[in-house]
Amino acid sequence: MGHPSDCDAGASGRHKIPCPTDRHFSPQIVITMQRVRFRWLPLFRLLVLVANLHHIKLGLAQVNERLNFSREIKPVLSNNCFFCHGPDANERKGGLNGLRLDTESGAFADQGGTFAVVKGQPEKSELVRRISSADSTEKMPPEATGKRLTEREILLLKEWIQQGGNYTAHWSYSKPVRPDVPCVKHPEWATNDIDRFLFSRLEREGMTPLAEAERHTLIRRVSLDLTGLPPTWAEVQAFVNDGDPKAYEKVVDRLLQQSSYGEHWGHMWLDLARYADSSGYADDPLRTIWPFRDYVIKSLNANKPFDQFTIEQIAGDLLPSPTDDQIIATAFHRNTLTNSEGGTNDEEFRNAAIVDRVNTTMAVWMGTTMACAQCHTHKFDPISQEEYFRFFAFFNNTDDADRFDESPLLMRFTESQLQQQSQFQTEIARLTQTLATPTPERVAGQTKWEQSFPFDITWQTPPPDSAVSTGGNLLTICGDSIITATAAKTATYVIGIPLNSLEPTDVKAVRLEALPADVLPGQGPGFAEGNFIVSKITAVVELPAAIPQAGRIVRDVKFVAAFADYEQPMFEVKNVIEGKTNSGWAVGGSLGRAHSLIAIAAVPVEAPAGSKLVVTIDQSSNHESHVLGKFRLSWTNHNHVAEFAQTPAVTLAILNIQSDLRTDAQKSHLAKHYVSIAPELETDRSRLAMLTQQLAELKPAMTVPIMKELAENLRRKTQIQHRGNFLDLGQEVTEGIPATFHPLPQDAPKNRLTLARWLIDSNNPLTARVIANRFWEQIFGIGIVSTSEEFGAQGDQPYHPELLDWLATELVARQWDMKSFLKLLVMSAAYRQSSMVTPELYERDPENRLLARGPRFRLSAEMIRDQALALAGLLSPKMYGPSAKPPQPISGLTAAFGSGIDWQTSSGEDKFRRGLYTEWRRSNPYPSMSTFDAPNREVCTVRRSRTNTPLQALVTLNDPVYVEAAQALARRIAVSGFAVSDKALFAFRQVTSRNPTDEELNRLVKLFDAAHEQLQKQTTEAQQLATEPLGPAPHGAEISELAAWTVVGNVLFNLDEMLMKR
Amino acid sequence: MNLNSCTLQHMTRRHFLEQGQIGLGAVALGALMKRDGYASAIFDSNPLAAKQGHFTGKAKRVIYLHLTGSPPHLDLYDYKPELVKHDGEPAPDSFIQGKRFAFTTGVPKLLGTRRQFKQCGEGGLWLSDAIPHLQGVADQICVVKSMFTEQFNHAPAELLLYTGSARSGRPSMGSWVTYGLGSESDNLPGFVVLISSGVQPNAGKNSYGSGFLPSVYQGVQCRSKGDPVLYASDPAGMDRDLRRASLDALRDLNEIQAKELGHPETLTRIAQYEMAYRMQTSVPDVMDITQETKKTQEAYGAMPGQATFANNCLLARRLVEKGVRFVQLFDWGWDFHGTGPNDDIRDGLTKKCATVDRPIAALIQDLQQRGLLDETLIVCSGEFGRTPFREGRTSGGSILGRDHFPDCYSIFLAGGGIKGGYSHGESDEFGFSIAKDKVHVHDLQATILHQLGFDHTKLSYRFQGRDYRLTDVQGNVVQQIIS
């Protein structure tokens, strides 16, 4: 009785009730199961069950084989006893000193004179007495728990104690050891070692494998499994007619090289990564994270080894000089939800994201449920709450914090943006070159300009007659028209200057000279250690009172530009025109020196004789004491003052040098300056300025949320959270991993990179098994461990433990080469078998765990859709980029606090891209795919369910996507031959990849004839059926025929075998 | 070589011959197969087949009326005269210290109700004049005035209420119930969702999703416009005869496959397509409220062709009558912050209540008249309550609004073995905290499941290594409200 559980599902707690889902979904309502199970089982099953119990009794009496604690005993104890007698001291009956059955020392401990387990002596073991007791107050487990040991389980526990009651570590927590490949009686049945493991088991069970599936079936199966797409009829024919013994292998190799491989296998990984295009919760805003999806596809197609794939996603940002791709990979853990609803506590949801990262990491790589330990020490597996938060600490120091903007982001330009950018750059280079290349005309123009430069500007500096400050400080008018001030926090100076002109004149510019003085802090010109900020300058001309007009007339001097000999960065002189409150003109960086500002009037202001210029210098910035201490004002009526003013001081200095005495550098400077002002170059200059601005304004459209470690001084403390409540904090902990697993390398820094390496370390007992099992599950429909998400005590036992360990070690030996591993699986004879089943075999092994037949189970949501589009010839090969929005029914609803959930359907080929590229909105997943069990990706999904429901039938019958596919197919059918039967043959082959039987073909023809007859009479209906939504029929086509073939196509796409691997 | 048994061939051939061309369903097929002694379990284990709970519950089905946004319970069901007396005064420190509110900081001003309350029916329930029709059925309803939750934002609070966890990813209440009890209808979904006022619930489809349960248990949204169920309409140009003819061909072809490969799943698929075919007519039929008498339509205030709450109440009755297990209504627009005239607790509330008061009362009476109220549990709630003070942001304006309030609020239940004319629990004199008999949302869930015949601690599902349940690790049945 080496494998009592294999053939004895009923008694071992594994149910073999056939189920309408091909994945047998696990026991339902716990309490009703006992009753329901017997009601469901046909009589002969009950007989088998009873017979098995006898078999066990006999078996146990005679066994020489030792029971395997990990596989046969621990699950019984774990399911029935650990909750009260397990690792969690809070739940343990009797508290700290209470009985523990999860450890050897606990089971053998003296419990006040009784011993739960006495080695080799079941009759003296309290455990045996209590589980066998008829007294309901003593019987274990207590009735109130709803748990009950079966006869068989009681027998097993007794036998185990008889054998010594030894404990061994949980099977999956010891590193896999490569087992010997077993011998088989029929080596000719096997193509590789996988078969030797499987078939030796079949031989023990007295079963035989089936022959290889027929080639049409096989190529469709392997094409769907490796690329998610069916083969074309030409590919089918090529394979069927290929006499090469390696024909099948050639197909496999070809498929593994197709880019559709990465797209197909990507969706499994995207489920694990909980990838979606929106950030979740109430308003569920869209998020740009598709570059992560593309990273996954590209990595799979490039066959990146799984260990490297792991490191990049967990800690790509911590690699030395990471590439963009390695940083994008870290978006794996940015697929967590962000809550942007008003009034939420960011820390609460940041914390929720970290919890998700911990749980997802352990589920994806190690098939271990950590979630329990967030709130309390795990009840079944040796993971304490402290260990949970030590693991949490690895993820607790990234920069993201549930922010609305999803920062930190990696910002990159898209392809089209890069093109645009390069266009700008090319033209900028061209214009720059043009401007830098002198022409004879330009030289002549420059000479003319130099000659006419307005050197003769004369500034009028009449003494002011009034100087008032609003800052409460004192202004004094000194000699040379200079004004000095005492200190003030902020101030506005108003200075009156009689123009002293006998003639009418024009005010064209005002100059402010800020002057240094020893008495000022930092020698001035301002009081703030020498600095000042002039936030605004305005001026008016007051007409003389003598002019006979009502009241005093004031004319505004409208300044349009201001120039200075020096400006402090960020405090540029142009600010004084705009009058920015918190900014202005300042001279930090050049203090203790004289500076000047010239403000130019938009239009000259006419000033009659006797007028007065009143200048207001506003210094009301929010920087304290930034006021002028010594200054002087002047004005001018010179026509070319603007040109003079905008000429930089250094240029002025050069212009003042006689032309033949100028150095080369000075000459070149002057030429450059001329280029910047020459009227004939205005067009080029403004184009250049515009392009430069556009280039600067081109913001990256691709902004991917990424992981970024916090700087040393910003690092967060990690504390245990009582009952998982982020506000109820306990003891501080540092990064670490649960003690039950292999240790971290001693000298490595305690960071995510080390954690990532630990995950794929050769000492990790779980990762290789978990990953191998997951590939197996995808190919064979159910994992060797059926709970592919849970390898701990609460998970299923491996059905073929040696095979699993062999596969795990093989995966590592192949250096985590995913394609090569997949090839190994699909090359096996087990995979290639026919999937036919007899009632006896079905009854014996409904889930096909023994693989006495080939795998057959429902396709995924994406595959069903992609297949129909591909067979209809509609599928777009376009890869990558922003997600597509294929047609979906209009809901008329909006998301809570968000925008409408209906989308603008993509146009053109974007309508027909693979399902993987469909926009994945978490609160409103694409309805036809979610009907076929595509998850909404709120959390990591390790295993999708595979249901079979009427709503699915409605999708494939009536969803416009499938109707359109049938219409497109009909147009191909209609031109494929002459006779109806030829066309039907084409249609059948095209869709199913095989030849029909006569019966099948006749049935199709019968349907076509009936439909055709009806639709010839219903011309309007025929028109609709042939063209809505696909569009107008080809010229000359017979509409009723197209419509009738559409009916046929619709039936073909709904065949059971189309929804399944056959 | 044909590996299939004679049994299967015999069974399928005979079956399809005898059953003729149409209408074979899971039930009939299953019954027939049982006689053959093969594969009966496939059909018995139809995931939507009606099942027993842990014991016989008083209720067989649930209609959950969700007022999305959360109605101001202090203006509807929980009368606080002391709060009216102190209206406009600053909230006492002791009530607000250490508390956090969604949109209110500092010291808010108390807000007494502007509604008139009166005691109604023999049970003397206090109900406000915003819900005059409910006043008329006061003896059928049970108000729980001591509800609380931990979540003060809509989406997490709604998730906690419907899935037992404030984070998304778990199955919703309707999914749990359908998973546990199956459906009594063989041509309608077991769990139907009806949405009014044009906005999804706060947590989107998560509020009625199946989480990690198989998707067959997820809520199916039935709609008043477009297809009543997604993709229920045949393609344009395909009449029923043609659909029937194509399904016949499909069935024949699938049958050939079933014979060749021997997979029972193929037979299940045939049955599911037949069920789909029936749903194509049964769903539009049940969704067609014009079949109701004028008098009934008027009693509800229903207007055929619109997605109103009144229509949805009438539809809920039609659906439960046909054996649907769980009907979930969501009505948007109950978030009375005081940011505009529509969310003012005076006229705004009057207007909003007018859209639900009469239909709910009509639903209760209608079910009662049809003898269905005893076995149909009605629950009406928001995702939390609203504060006894004015919302901080809008407290300067003339529009009166209240902030989100998780600490203490009221809901009501009716039918399904719940005491009528009964009030459970109390809030303190200002309505800030629970004075008596706290009821957490997990307790409400436990009670709903209990009424349906479940021990909430045992209705569980193993997912990724852990047994999950609707009530998470908490929940106590509120025995006092059970009749």
Side-chain angles (χ1 to χ4, degrees), chain B residues 273-285:
Chain B
Y273 271 79
E274 292 304 325
M275 164 99 166
Y277 179 77
R278 290 195 305 275
M279 277 175 66
Q280 284 186 283
T281 44
S282 60
V283 176
D285 187 61

Side-chain angles (χ1 to χ4, degrees), chain A residues 853-931:
Chain A
R853 60 183 190 273
R856 182 185 187 278
F857 52 91
R858 209 204 71 206
L859 306 181
S860 71
E862 289 90 335
M863 289 162 89
I864 290 169
R865 181 175 183 279
D866 295 350
Q867 174 177 251
L869 291 176
L871 296 174
L874 291 175
L875 186 70
S876 157
K878 182 174 163 188
M879 295 180 76
Y880 311 130
S883 294
K885 303 178 181 73
Q888 67 171 344
I890 292 169
S891 73
L893 298 178
T894 60
F897 309 108
S899 47
I901 57 176
D902 295 317
W903 62 36
Q904 183 74 40
T905 303
S906 300
S907 55
E909 68 173 334
D910 275 359
K911 267 172 76 177
F912 302 119
R913 297 182 64 188
R914 293 191 74 171
L916 158 99
Y917 297 113
T918 299
E919 186 172 289
W920 216 283
R921 187 111 185 236
R922 286 176 158 132
S923 60
N924 188 44
Y926 190 59
S928 75
M929 295 214 292
S930 80
T931 304

Side-chain angles (χ1 to χ4, degrees), chain A residues 146-341:
Chain A
K147 297 176 190 294
R148 198 169 68 85
L149 291 175
T150 62
E151 280 297 311
R152 181 174 174 280
E153 287 167 339
I154 293 171
L155 283 171
L156 277 173
L157 289 175
K158 281 184 189 166
E159 177 59 23
W160 164 64
I161 293 173
Q162 185 77 48
Q163 289 184 2
N166 289 326
Y167 276 70
T168 50
H170 180 64
W171 69 271
S172 69
Y173 294 166
S174 325
K175 193 179 155 181
V177 178
R178 192 169 177 90
D180 292 333
V181 178
C183 294
V184 286
K185 289 179 197 140
H186 294 281
E188 71 280 8
W189 289 349
T191 60
N192 63 24
D193 287 343
I194 291 176
D195 297 324
R196 293 180 188 100
F197 281 99
L198 289 172
F199 295 164
S200 74
R201 171 71 175 276
L202 286 182
E203 284 167 2
R204 281 208 305 278
E205 303 278 343
M207 297 160 80
T208 49
L210 290 184
E212 184 163 304
E214 197 270 331
R215 280 199 171 186
H216 295 89
T217 303
L218 192 53
I219 189 174
R220 178 169 177 270
R221 183 188 296 169
V222 73
S223 298
L224 286 168
D225 273 337
L226 295 183
T227 67
L229 296 174
T232 64
W233 182 246
E235 285 164 354
V236 174
Q237 285 303 98
F239 175 53
V240 169
N241 298 321
D242 191 347
D244 187 339
K246 292 200 160 197
Y248 176 72
E249 187 171 4
K250 286 193 294 188
V251 169
V252 171
D253 288 337
R254 172 177 62 78
L255 292 169
L256 287 170
Q257 291 313 312
Q258 288 183 0
S259 56
S260 49
Y261 160 83
E263 293 176 316
H264 174 59
W265 285 86
H267 91 236
M268 169 183 96
W269 194 257
L270 296 177
D271 278 1
L272 293 166
R274 67 272 192 247
Y275 166 83
D277 296 306
S278 66
S279 56
Y281 294 109
D283 46 356
D284 196 29
L286 292 176
R287 146 193 289 179
T288 307
I289 198 163
W290 53 262
F292 172 75
R293 179 244 287 140
D294 292 352
Y295 160 83
V296 170
I297 298 169
K298 287 173 187 164
S299 300
L300 293 173
N301 277 336
N303 201 23
K304 189 174 280 172
F306 184 77
D307 51 352
Q308 189 189 339
F309 190 52
T310 297
I311 289 173
E312 290 179 352
Q313 292 180 79
I314 298 286
D317 58 318
L318 300 180
L319 290 169
S321 349
T323 62
D324 274 5
D325 267 357
Q326 287 169 334
I327 290 173
I328 289 170
T330 67
F332 177 87
H333 270 325
R334 292 302 309 280
N335 282 306
T336 48
L337 312 191
T338 298
N339 194 348
S340 41
E341 188 181 338

Side-chain angles (χ1 to χ4, degrees), chain B residues 32-54:
Chain B
L32 195 82
M33 287 183 161
K34 251 182 211 158
R35 279 192 268 134
D36 282 314
Y38 170 66
S40 59
I42 306 162
F43 294 98
D44 273 357
S45 63
N46 166 13
L48 281 177
K51 294 177 210 118
Q52 259 292 352
H54 303 128

Side-chain angles (χ1 to χ4, degrees), chain A residues 405-476:
Chain A
D405 67 1
E406 307 260 30
S407 61
L409 303 164
L410 177 79
M411 296 195 255
R412 288 292 180 268
F413 297 98
T414 61
E415 284 301 319
S416 68
Q417 280 185 315
L418 286 173
Q419 273 175 18
Q420 180 77 73
Q421 207 171 34
S422 129
Q423 271 172 20
F424 287 158
Q425 282 162 342
T426 311
E427 200 178 348
I428 287 170
R430 186 183 59 76
L431 286 168
T432 311
Q433 181 63 33
T434 307
L435 294 175
T437 313
T439 59
E441 297 77 33
R442 201 186 300 169
V443 173
Q446 183 181 341
T447 314
K448 202 175 148 200
W449 165 72
E450 282 180 38
Q451 284 162 356
S452 62
F453 191 79
F455 283 113
D456 55 343
I457 289 185
T458 44
W459 290 97
Q460 310 286 332
T461 312
D465 67 353
S466 63
V468 184
S469 169
T470 61
N473 56 336
L474 189 67
L475 301 184
T476 311

Side-chain angles (χ1 to χ4, degrees), chain A residues 28-29 31 369 789 835 837-839 890 894 924 933 936 938 948 958 994 1003 1014 1018 1050 1054 1056, chain B residues 3 5 54 168 179 200 205-206 215 223 231 239 243 252 254 257 261 263 266 269 272-273 464:
Chain A
Q28 319 291 338
I29 308 154
I31 197 168
T369 308
E789 67 286 350
S835 65
V837 66
T838 60
I890 292 169
T894 60
N924 188 44
D933 306 301
N936 60 8
E938 305 266 346
N948 178 353
N958 298 333
R994 68 180 174 93
R1003 191 63 188 86
Q1014 178 180 337
Q1018 301 177 329
N1050 185 251
N1054 279 279
D1056 179 60
Chain B
L3 293 171
S5 78
H54 303 128
S168 32
Y179 159 69
Q200 280 208 321
K205 289 189 174 167
N206 292 309
S215 63
R223 314 179 310 162
Y231 314 118
D239 64 17
R243 174 53 81 210
D252 291 348
N254 280 341
Q257 277 293 294
L261 293 178
H263 284 274
T266 311
R269 191 167 318 280
Q272 301 295 25
Y273 271 79
Q464 302 196 346

Side-chain angles (χ1 to χ4, degrees), chain B residues 322-393:
Chain B
K322 294 261 160 63
V324 172
R325 188 64 74 186
F326 202 104
V327 183
Q328 173 81 54
L329 272 64
F330 290 104
D331 183 59
W332 183 258
W334 293 89
D335 197 14
F336 283 78
H337 281 287
T339 52
N342 287 333
D343 59 358
D344 175 69
I345 59 157
R346 292 162 302 188
D347 290 354
L349 184 62
T350 309
K351 275 193 234 159
K352 192 66 188 167
C353 283
T355 66
V356 304
D357 172 47
R358 174 203 284 261
I360 299 175
L363 175 64
I364 292 170
Q365 285 166 330
D366 198 5
L367 287 173
Q368 195 171 26
Q369 280 158 18
R370 289 165 195 258
L372 290 169
L373 187 61
D374 290 345
E375 51 188 41
T376 306
L377 176 60
I378 299 174
V379 188
C380 179
S381 79
E383 56 273 18
F384 37 58
R386 305 205 78 86
T387 51
F389 54 78
R390 292 194 67 177
E391 207 253 67
R393 293 174 307 173

